[in-house]
Amino acid sequence: MAERIILALNGGTGSRAALDWVIGRARTIRISLELTTVIDLARLPTTITKDWVLPAYEQLLMDAASRVRGDAPTVQVMTSVRRGAPLQELLISAADADLLVIGTREAAGSLYGTLRHQIAAGVSCPLVIVPTDWTPCNGSVVVGVDDDETSQFAVDFAAREAERLGRELSVVHAWRIPTLLALGWLSAGASPYDEIRMAHAEVLAGVVERVRAEHVTVVVRDTLEHGSAALVLTDAAEHAEMVVVGTHGRGVMAGLFLGSVAHDLLISMPCPVVVVPHPADRPLLIPNAAQDK
């Protein structure tokens, strides 16, 4: 069965990089692709109607579809112009998708700039954010591991990607001693640093053991670092093919939050960032039928 990908375009340089990323993926896996864009009705000047701007949006999608058919002729391509609030429309579009892909620019507030954080917080399928300066590389797949079960889904996704690409999988776990506890230990003249580090090492070892058992062809490298998880992952992903992080399950509240690690990675964007939601993250959406396909 083909992997169903939604690729959201806005005509900027980030969109071109995202399109390149999807075409590259099509060379290693069978996919069906929906190219979509959103006419933000609330931002249109009152003197301009949606029908006046519609041809430009349709042309954007036609040009992208033509490129896909030329570079990846086996891909099934469809296009859709959506009308409404970009966040709501993209979350709806991805409800039944296997992957949502967007591009980004560094400029705050641009589509998809700060909006990428909102999409990542509410999406129900893995989200890939491709930086505007992305170019293919032979780097490893990096995944961040938390000290609970919420990173399991991110690890599974990353392991499959490493297997698909024939790349090394770098499993990274960062840990820190809370400031209040550190101050208490200093005043007491004792520090269980080694014990805490060992506990975190056991967490990492358990994850690596499972991945090696389930993906025997994947070379797995583990990294245990003391420090900020976002900084450690950013450093590890500097020359990576992608960096994968999970989000915590919060049920119907999932759309209101994004973990600090994912948040910071979406600011630094060292490479394509993949945010894998917990299965419990299922945002409540109000369907909007105002779209053309």
Side-chain angles (χ1 to χ4, degrees):
M1 181 179 294
E3 178 183 69
R4 184 166 183 263
I5 297 178
I6 307 292
L7 172 56
L9 303 171
N10 73 338
T13 54
S15 290
R16 289 194 290 273
L19 182 60
D20 289 341
W21 190 90
V22 170
I23 290 173
R25 186 175 186 84
R27 296 189 178 104
T28 63
I29 190 172
R30 183 167 170 257
I31 71 171
S32 66
L33 177 62
E34 178 182 340
L35 301 169
T36 192
T37 190
V38 182
I39 302 177
D40 189 348
L41 300 177
R43 292 184 178 272
L44 283 181
T46 56
T47 56
I48 297 179
T49 66
K50 59 182 179 294
D51 293 330
W52 190 84
V53 300
L54 182 59
Y57 285 84
E58 291 177 332
Q59 188 63 51
L60 165 69
L61 296 179
M62 289 174 58
D63 290 345
S66 177
R67 167 117 189 272
V68 172
R69 293 185 180 111
D71 292 349
T74 62
V75 175
Q76 303 173 5
V77 186
M78 64 174 293
T79 63
S80 64
V81 177
R82 299 175 182 271
R83 303 172 181 176
L87 173 62
Q88 186 79 352
E89 291 301 321
L90 292 180
L91 294 184
I92 291 171
S93 74
D96 297 320
D98 296 310
L99 211 61
L100 173 63
V101 182
I102 65 174
T104 188
R105 295 182 298 190
E106 292 183 357
S110 63
L111 187 69
Y112 304 98
T114 57
L115 180 59
R116 65 184 180 262
H117 290 83
Q118 296 173 300
I119 298 171
V123 72
S124 56
C125 69
L127 169 69
V128 182
I129 308 97
V130 183
T132 185
D133 58 352
W134 174 81
T135 55
C137 69
N138 294 316
S140 62
V141 175
V142 176
V143 61
V145 173
D146 207 342
D147 56 0
D148 57 33
E149 77 284 355
T150 57
S151 59
Q152 173 184 337
F153 306 97
V155 171
D156 290 342
F157 181 94
R160 291 193 299 271
E161 289 299 292
E163 196 167 50
R164 175 181 68 86
L165 294 166
R167 306 288 173 76
E168 178 183 88
L169 176 65
S170 178
V171 183
V172 179
H173 179 57
W175 65 282
R176 289 198 297 186
I177 299 174
T179 303
L180 289 177
L181 291 180
L183 292 174
W185 292 328
L186 285 174
S187 63
S191 172
Y193 176 94
D194 291 337
E195 289 83 352
I196 294 177
R197 184 185 184 283
M198 182 61 67
H200 284 279
E202 290 176 359
V203 169
L204 179 59
V207 172
V208 170
E209 181 180 7
R210 180 177 69 84
V211 171
R212 285 174 174 160
E214 296 176 358
H215 301 270
V216 295
T217 63
V218 175
V219 176
V220 183
R221 176 169 57 88
D222 60 317
T223 299
L224 180 66
E225 293 281 353
H226 180 264
S228 162
L231 292 178
V232 170
L233 276 173
T234 298
D235 289 343
E238 184 178 359
H239 301 293
E241 181 69 31
M242 67 180 69
V243 58
V244 184
V245 291
T247 58
H248 290 264
R250 298 185 179 90
V252 297
M253 297 297 289
L256 301 179
F257 300 97
L258 181 65
S260 60
V261 175
H263 179 277
D264 291 350
L265 278 173
L266 292 184
I267 293 175
S268 62
M269 292 297 296
C271 63
V273 176
V274 185
V275 179
V276 180
H278 190 283
D281 292 347
R282 292 294 182 266
L284 295 180
L285 297 175
I286 300 174
N288 185 345
Q291 63 183 34
D292 294 336
K293 290 192 176 182

